[in-house]
Amino acid sequence: HISERLRQNRQQMIKAMEGQLAVGHDHSCALHRNSSLVCWGRNDMGQAELPANLQSPSLIIWQVAVGDGNTCIIVSGVPSTIDVTKEASRELRCWGNSIFGKSDPPSIDSVTQVSLGSTHSCAIFRPPTPP
């Protein structure tokens, strides 16, 4: 029922008022101030589910962005994909629709902002300082 879905979406948005809301064409995500992430809507490509490898009590999510069938977050507090001996430091993690490679981001850290389009993803990051 459409009215029931609208009521559920409204409740999710109210809960997110003190955090961040990312709204896409078919799914949305709310990042709460305590760094918990809730997504809802279409999930045919897994875009509205936080992957198991990111479900950690030490997880810190800095930003969420949603695109056309995919979701990206800036994350710390989980094992790094860049250097497996370290903890992630504001790395980019994406999931869902990966057509055109949009959910396969390059291995970069110190990401400050991410934005998603229908066929691409972009991130701003601080380049590493030379030794």
Side-chain angles (χ1 to χ4, degrees):
H1 217 331
I2 292 224
S3 62
E4 177 62 20
R5 279 193 309 192
L6 289 173
R7 187 186 67 74
Q8 289 172 349
N9 286 352
R10 183 175 179 273
Q11 287 174 340
Q12 292 290 340
M13 287 188 278
I14 289 170
K15 288 179 184 177
M17 298 284 276
E18 293 185 359
Q20 182 186 118
L21 188 62
V23 179
H25 180 71
D26 291 325
H27 78 291
S28 301
C29 294
L31 176 59
H32 300 271
R33 292 181 79 187
N34 68 0
S35 194
S36 63
L37 183 68
V38 177
C39 299
W40 62 94
R42 190 171 182 172
N43 193 35
D44 59 323
M45 299 193 177
Q47 68 266 35
E49 292 179 27
L50 187 64
N53 66 334
L54 294 174
Q55 295 180 13
S56 166
S58 61
L59 177 73
I60 300 168
I61 301 174
W62 299 95
Q63 184 196 346
V64 60
V66 298
D68 183 14
N70 66 322
T71 304
C72 291
I73 58 175
I74 300 172
V75 64
S76 298
V78 293
S80 175
T81 58
I82 298 168
D83 182 347
V84 295
T85 65
K86 295 183 179 179
E87 189 176 272
S89 176
R90 295 182 70 105
E91 290 181 11
L92 193 55
R93 304 289 171 88
C94 302
W95 63 91
N97 182 357
S98 197
I99 192 166
F100 306 117
K102 62 185 180 177
S103 287
D104 297 320
S107 295
I108 53 175
D109 61 4
S110 302
V111 178
T112 59
Q113 190 172 6
V114 62
S115 181
L116 306 184
S118 61
T119 59
H120 67 286
S121 304
C122 296
I124 298 173
F125 67 100
R126 288 189 315 264
T129 50

